[in-house]
Amino acid sequence: MEVIYTGLRQTPEMIVHAALQEDVQVIGLSILSGAHNAIVPRVLELLRQQGMADVKVVVGGTVPDEDAAELKRQGVAEVFQPGAPLEAVVDLIRAAAVSK
């Protein structure tokens, strides 16, 4: 497994561009700013526009339950809130990498 860290404060366009260039299976977004309802839907939209709808998007951070449910409805594979077991994150990413 290879991890590509693009750094802090990346725009959705920058995130999807990097994912396209690196041919990723999973995008992990860590959002502590409360901007998940703006950033994540835009990332999902850009992935669809690039023909990359099969890329799994996982979100971690302080996301209220109702927002997490809405993000999952929009296509996010999983939302990991504070305290989520690391094993759950690893299992989801491994499964996504194997299924591609």
Side-chain angles (χ1 to χ4, degrees), residues 75-94:
V76 169
E78 190 59 74
V79 176
F80 294 102
Q81 295 166 319
L86 183 57
E87 185 175 295
V89 178
V90 172
D91 288 347
L92 186 137
I93 292 171
R94 279 192 178 141

Side-chain angles (χ1 to χ4, degrees), residues 43-76:
V43 167
L44 294 170
E45 176 187 348
L46 291 168
L47 287 171
R48 285 190 291 275
Q49 288 176 5
Q50 292 294 325
M52 300 171 64
D54 61 329
V55 171
K56 300 274 190 253
V57 175
V58 296
V59 177
T62 51
V63 179
D65 291 339
E66 59 274 6
D67 291 352
E70 176 59 21
L71 293 174
K72 289 171 78 173
R73 189 194 66 71
Q74 292 177 26
V76 169

Side-chain angles (χ1 to χ4, degrees), residues 12 31 33-45 67 71 74:
I31 302 176
S33 66
H36 51 273
N37 286 329
I39 294 170
V40 177
R42 180 71 177 142
V43 167
L44 294 170
E45 176 187 348
D67 291 352
L71 293 174
Q74 292 177 26

